Structure formats: structure tokens, C-alpha cells
Amino acid sequence: MIVTRFAPSPTGYLHLGHAFAAITAAQAGKRFLVRIEDIDTTRCRPQFEAAIFEDLAWFGLDWERPVLRQSERFDAYRAALAKLQEQALLYPCFCTRAEIAAEIARASEAPHGPEGPVYPGTCRHLSTEQRQARITSGAPYALRLDSQKAAFIAGALTFEEQGVGPKDEHGVITVDPLLFGDVVLARKETSASYHLSVAVDDAFQGVTLVTRGNDLFSATHIQRVLQTLLGLPAPAYAHHKLILDENGKKFSKRDSAVTLRDLRANGVTPDQIKARLFG
Ligand code: GLU
């Protein structure tokens, strides 16, 4: 049975891109779930969460209850981190953003990932004693995945792309486990990263087909690695093209003129929006 989900972060009002993603997910799934991705508690607001449900209902969409909220799942993310920790796949990183930038500037060549230059691995080389001393001194740290080790343990991986990536990728995609480098999986302020929480929750909710915008296509590489290291099943993926505004630019949450609520306030109907998105 195909189980899909729409997983917005309540950091703003939904726009046309979200409508496309939600409708696509609802149509593709025999079961359709909504998941509120609110781990970044500093940016998420209850009024945006309430608006998500209202806007989805306005489109006539129906989803299963109860809705999973990631802010209630920190125990599960901690358990996943512990599982990675047991495999010695994590290390504490004490670098500030400025230190990382300086280190990258010093390096003759810095590999680039989807989120910019990848972490140069400075703290990977600390000894156990050095780590312990810095933790004991109260220095804040993030937990990073040792990507080389993760690649070795995970082995060769692929994922099934039923939609299209940004470069028209489709079919069986070979995973590049080093694409994001030693990615951060937890920080002091937020004890789980997007990649970790999504990998854990897609499996927890039994999602079999992840439908989402193809700006997240590359994230699938690291999410597949995490699923494997955590012993979780792999869903299939159907990434879709991004919805662009009249200027050919991606809709952004800051672009308040094009929220679904504004369109609605201006008398636009759900059918008109569907015609524009899918017509
Ligand atoms: N929460 C993410 C967002 O709002 C989407 C996550 C996903 O679909 O994997 O961009």
C-alpha cells in the first residue's frame, strides 16, 4: 500500500509550492499523512501550524489523525543518535561557524556539497582525551556523522526515483554517501537535524513513497545513508519540479504576497489554483 506524507515546517504560511506538494502527496497515496516538522522551536509558530491544517482543508484534502509533530519526537531522535553513537559513527564538533569558514579559506581545495563547502573535518582528528576535556569544560558542541566511516559501514546504496531530480535524474540513483561530508546530526539548541528526524519519522510512520520538491533531491543521499545505518526500510521517492513565480523564482516563505491565504482573501478558489498548478 502506498503511504505518502506532506511534511511542512510551520515557519510561515503555505504558498503555491506547498499546495502542489500536498496535493501531489495526497493523490499519490492510498494513505496520506501530514507531519509537522517543528524541531526548530525558535522559528515555528502555532498560528502557522493552525494555518497549515486550515489551508489543506480548504483544498478538500483529508489526512490521517493524529498528526505527528516532530517536537514530540525528541526521544526517538535521541535513541537514533545513540544507535549511531554505538557504532562510533558520531563525533563532537566544537568549531564555530567562523572557525569553519577560516579553515575552509585556508584549504587549497574545499569540496562543495549541496549546502555549501563541506566541513573540513577539524574535530574528527581530536583524541578521546581532548574531546572529553572540552566537553567537561562546558564547551558547546554539535554531533557530526563521520561520513567516511558511515560510507564504509553502509556499503553501496541506491534509491528509487519515480519523479525527477533537478537534472532530470530518475530511476535507480546511486547514493553518494560523502555528498554532505560530515554533516551535523544534532546541535546543542536542536537535538536532531532535519536529515535525522526525517529518516527516523518516514520509517516510523511507514511512509513508502516520499513526494517532495526536487530542491530536496540531494538530501535523499544522506537520508538513505541514515536509514541504512539505523536499520530502517527505504521508501521510494517521487521528487517533483519546483513551482516558480512569474519571475521564474522559487516561492519563498518570505514572499508573503503569494501565500494561499492571500490568494483566498483575494477571492481565488481552490479549483483555480489547481488549474494553475496542474492544468
Ligand atoms: N519540512 C521540510 C520543508 O518544509 C520538508 C521535508 C521533506 O519533505 O522531506 O521544507
Side-chain angles (χ1 to χ4, degrees):
M1 192 196 323
I2 298 175
V3 184
T4 57
R5 48 61 161 191
F6 173 58
S9 304
T11 54
Y13 290 116
L14 299 188
H15 52 63
L16 283 174
H18 292 113
F20 188 89
I23 294 167
T24 305
Q27 281 172 350
K30 175 108 177 102
R31 290 179 55 207
F32 169 55
L33 312 171
V34 172
R35 181 166 74 228
I36 299 295
E37 302 216 316
D38 57 352
I39 46 176
D40 183 353
T41 45
T42 59
R43 290 173 58 226
C44 295
R45 300 277 175 273
Q47 71 266 29
F48 295 138
E49 185 180 315
I52 288 169
F53 299 125
E54 225 181 270
D55 290 349
L56 295 182
W58 182 57
F59 276 104
L61 298 181
D62 198 11
W63 58 95
E64 291 185 16
R65 273 80 165 178
V67 162
L68 195 73
R69 294 152 111 250
Q70 292 195 319
S71 57
E72 293 168 1
R73 297 268 303 148
F74 283 114
D75 284 348
Y77 309 143
R78 261 189 291 276
L81 285 170
K83 205 161 174 180
L84 298 174
Q85 195 88 271
E86 276 164 28
Q87 301 172 73
L89 284 164
L90 303 182
Y91 64 86
C93 169
F94 305 92
C95 296
T96 62
R97 281 178 211 280
E99 283 165 349
I100 295 172
E103 183 65 35
I104 288 167
R106 257 198 307 277
S108 50
E109 67 179 52
H112 263 253
E115 292 165 349
V118 303
Y119 177 63
T122 323
C123 287
R124 196 192 314 125
H125 308 295
L126 296 179
S127 68
T128 312
E129 293 72 29
Q130 285 169 320
R131 284 176 186 162
Q132 213 40 60
R134 294 185 74 165
I135 291 173
T136 313
S137 77
Y141 61 91
L143 288 175
R144 287 187 184 272
L145 180 72
D146 183 330
S147 55
Q148 298 278 352
K149 213 166 179 178
F152 180 74
I153 293 180
L157 296 174
T158 58
F159 65 88
E160 184 192 332
E161 178 58 66
Q162 297 180 2
V164 279
K167 292 183 191 144
D168 267 349
E169 302 93 331
H170 58 89
V172 178
I173 310 289
T174 300
V175 168
D176 175 0
L178 304 178
L179 192 62
F180 285 78
D182 289 0
V183 70
V184 167
L185 295 187
R187 290 187 194 280
K188 191 162 175 277
E189 326 79 75
T190 312
S191 51
S193 72
Y194 157 65
H195 297 302
L196 183 77
S197 60
V198 163
V200 169
D201 286 341
D202 281 338
F204 177 69
Q205 295 192 285
V207 172
T208 62
L209 179 66
V210 170
T211 61
R212 59 186 177 192
N214 68 19
D215 51 339
L216 289 170
F217 175 83
S218 59
T220 313
H221 290 263
I222 184 64
Q223 292 172 13
R224 265 305 281 128
V225 171
L226 294 173
Q227 288 156 4
T228 307
L229 298 172
L230 294 168
L232 304 173
Y237 291 82
H239 289 93
H240 56 75
K241 62 182 171 51
L242 294 180
I243 302 302
L244 304 176
D245 67 14
E246 287 75 13
N247 305 316
K249 290 222 309 266
K250 188 180 145 183
F251 283 113
S252 118
K253 282 192 177 127
R254 284 175 289 277
D255 200 353
S256 58
V258 290
T259 65
L260 298 177
R261 8 212 70 212
D262 286 332
L263 292 170
R264 185 173 166 186
N266 289 330
V268 178
T269 68
D271 280 345
Q272 287 169 328
I273 293 178
K274 284 185 205 164
R276 162 158 177 199
L277 293 175
F278 299 96

